[in-house]
Amino acid sequence: MYAIIDIETTGGKFNEEGITEIAIYKFDGHEIVDQFISLVNPEKAIQPFVVNLTGINNKMLINAPKFFEVAKRIVEITQDCIFVAHNTSFDYRILRTEFRRLGFEFERKTLCTVELSKQLIPDMPSYSLGKLVRALGIPVTDRHRASGDALATVKLFKLLLNKDTEKTIITEALKTKPKHQLEPKLLDILDTLPNKTGVYYIHNKEGKIIYIGKSKNIKNRINQHFTGTTAKSKKIQINVSNVTFEVTGSELVALLKESEEIKRNKPLYNRALRKRLFTTGLYHETDKNGYINLSIDKADGRRRNITTFTNKQNGKAFLEKIVDEFNLCQKLTGLYNSKTSCFRYELDSCLGACVKEETTESYNLRVNQFLKKHSYKNKNMVILDRGRDVDERSAILIENGEFKGLAFISLNYQITKIDILKTLITPMENNKDSQHIIQSYLRKYPKLKIITL
């Protein structure tokens, strides 16, 4: 016996959604033998985009039963049934979360029609419910409403049962919990985490840090660790006992703190991140004719770079933008290998440095403009970014071209008065990784506010 289910929710943060509508069709493999369809008052507002998608609004739910009032009926109709849904991990998670709030552990064997469809009907352009049933000619009414979507899932599931002639896939697909279903211990940890930008620390039962990471949304990122199927994710799931965090507001601050904390603590599962963050550098030198040449090359600690990149492709893409922005020569930037002119010269886009038609003074002036813009060598400046709340900003101090540290500030005079700023700064190590992080971030967000001291 199968309970084929679809749930509509309020939308919102992970594990904080509320059910707005539920439809359950009890299916014996041949026909529907029972059904339960109801709106549900989630006791919280529905996200506007969900209202537009489903047509369910807050006014419609004022007199609808609350979840605790329909919980008994849900338990009864799904008793001794296999829980079936299109993307079971979502519907089953939502339902288990609601029951968990009532102190009841809801568990059913599950089947996912997305996973089954991929196995039994391979090579479809999309496995979303709407596109899949339309491609298969299955009629659907009331799309994005629980009843309509659940009924379409019934028809799809009936087709899948017919296609599984050996009955092997469905037998093997049965499981107590769907893929990525969280254990109660992990759910308890998730409940303590914020949906904010910052650095997080995963601890084992002895309190030792086993992994450090950063994210724009700490809660979502930890959930990815807890539901991941990689070898590292599984080790974290087994060994995690607690997760602590530091909200930073700024992604740049989070990146800098993550890098320094990994070097300091050397966590067990951060092996890859202990290595250098970049492999490629942008270098410059003056050729025998007096023109400043730029080149992308393998990172070399013995040479002073202008900036660094995660890989050669990123470096080349950046250099191509610079050539356009500052009207530089492709040949003198290593982007066009030629013994004569570059390709842009043939298009009248290059002023002719490649064939010595443009003077070195004129060409090098534009190269130096680029160098001044994208290098903070010998510069004294403060990079301002988001703080931990609306009244605060983060400040990253660069002094004589070196990263000195960071602070959180709330008053303007704390920035402009360098002596005051220095007392607020938390010192951090200036190394090639921190330089790479700052330069990469400034390339990514060129409109970030910078105050020259």
Side-chain angles (χ1 to χ4, degrees), residues 63-80:
N63 297 317
K66 296 178 175 63
F67 182 77
F68 74 88
E69 295 176 282
V70 298
K72 182 180 179 183
R73 175 67 174 134
I74 294 170
V75 171
E76 290 173 346
I77 195 171
T78 61
Q79 192 71 43
D80 300 322

Side-chain angles (χ1 to χ4, degrees), residues 8 26 54 62 72 116 128 131 140 208 217 219 234 262 272 332 425:
E8 303 299 333
K26 195 169 186 176
T54 65
I62 292 174
K72 182 180 179 183
L116 288 176
S128 69
K131 291 180 180 179
V140 57
K208 186 176 181 179
N217 189 316
K219 190 170 195 170
K234 289 178 179 178
I262 288 172
L332 300 187
I425 287 289

Side-chain angles (χ1 to χ4, degrees), residues 189-416:
I189 293 173
L190 272 179
D191 285 343
T192 67
L193 303 176
N195 296 95
K196 294 183 178 180
T197 299
V199 182
Y200 57 87
Y201 307 81
I202 298 178
H203 305 258
N204 63 14
K205 62 182 179 181
E206 285 82 29
K208 186 176 181 179
I209 297 171
I210 57 174
Y211 189 83
I212 296 173
K214 74 90 198 169
S215 178
K216 290 183 179 180
N217 189 316
I218 294 173
K219 190 170 195 170
N220 284 358
R221 185 70 187 95
I222 293 296
N223 181 61
Q224 290 171 358
H225 286 304
F226 288 175
T227 58
T229 57
T230 65
K232 183 177 75 175
S233 292
K234 289 178 179 178
K235 289 176 182 176
I236 287 174
Q237 292 159 24
I238 291 169
N239 292 295
V240 61
S241 178
N242 188 29
V243 176
T244 57
F245 60 88
E246 182 179 352
V247 172
T248 63
S250 162
E251 185 184 7
L252 175 57
V253 173
L255 285 163
L256 291 167
K257 281 183 170 288
E258 177 197 36
S259 177
E260 180 154 291
E261 292 286 356
I262 288 172
K263 288 180 175 63
R264 181 185 296 124
N265 291 280
K266 297 180 174 58
L268 179 63
Y269 300 129
N270 279 109
R271 295 185 190 279
L273 292 179
R274 291 182 210 163
K275 301 176 183 177
R276 185 175 289 180
L277 299 175
F278 57 92
T279 61
T280 307
L282 176 61
Y283 300 93
H284 73 285
E285 61 182 3
T286 303
D287 65 20
K288 62 182 181 180
N289 297 314
Y291 294 98
I292 300 175
N293 285 211
L294 301 176
S295 63
I296 296 292
D297 205 350
K298 186 177 181 180
D300 186 345
R302 295 166 297 181
R303 300 169 63 191
R304 188 176 183 90
N305 59 63
I306 301 165
T307 188
T308 51
F309 306 91
T310 306
N311 53 53
K312 192 171 184 179
Q313 290 79 9
N314 288 347
K316 186 178 178 182
F318 173 73
L319 196 51
E320 287 171 346
K321 290 180 182 178
I322 292 307
V323 166
D324 288 334
E325 182 181 349
F326 291 89
N327 195 17
L328 303 183
C329 174
Q330 290 174 310
K331 182 179 176 181
L332 300 187
T333 54
L335 295 174
Y336 192 80
N337 188 15
S338 170
K339 292 183 179 180
T340 56
S341 62
C342 70
F343 183 68
R344 282 168 58 89
Y345 178 78
E346 303 299 326
L347 300 176
D348 294 326
S349 297
C350 173
L351 298 179
C354 45
V355 290
K356 303 178 189 176
E357 287 185 8
E358 183 181 13
T359 65
T360 55
E361 291 80 7
S362 172
Y363 183 77
N364 290 347
L365 177 64
R366 296 197 303 281
V367 177
N368 283 316
Q369 287 172 345
F370 154 68
L371 294 175
K372 184 178 181 181
K373 180 178 178 181
H374 289 276
S375 172
Y376 56 76
K377 180 182 176 182
N378 301 326
K379 286 185 180 178
N380 295 300
M381 62 184 187
V382 178
I383 303 167
L384 296 179
D385 203 2
R386 294 176 180 175
R388 294 164 295 189
D389 54 56
V390 293
D391 298 322
E392 183 180 71
R393 284 179 289 178
S394 57
I396 290 83
L397 176 62
I398 308 294
E399 196 171 35
N400 296 321
E402 293 187 358
F403 169 54
K404 292 298 183 180
L406 54 89
F408 291 103
I409 55 175
S410 55
L411 299 171
N412 283 331
Y413 78 84
Q414 293 174 319
I415 308 168
T416 55

Side-chain angles (χ1 to χ4, degrees), residues 3-9 20-27 32 35-38 50 52-56 83-88 90-91 111-114 117 127-134 138-158 160:
I4 299 177
I5 298 172
D6 187 81
I7 290 170
E8 303 299 333
T9 72
T20 58
E21 187 176 37
I22 185 168
I24 304 173
Y25 290 100
K26 195 169 186 176
F27 182 67
I32 295 169
Q35 67 182 50
F36 172 68
I37 302 164
S38 178
V50 177
N52 293 332
L53 183 69
T54 65
I56 301 172
F83 187 109
V84 180
H86 200 72
N87 187 14
T88 307
F90 173 78
D91 297 86
L111 278 173
C112 179
T113 53
V114 174
S117 296
Y127 289 93
S128 69
L129 182 61
K131 291 180 180 179
L132 182 60
V133 296
R134 187 160 54 248
I138 296 172
V140 57
T141 57
D142 290 333
R143 183 76 179 96
H144 296 302
R145 290 295 299 266
S147 178
D149 285 358
L151 199 54
T153 306
V154 171
K155 295 170 183 175
L156 172 63
F157 186 61
K158 193 171 183 177
L160 293 172

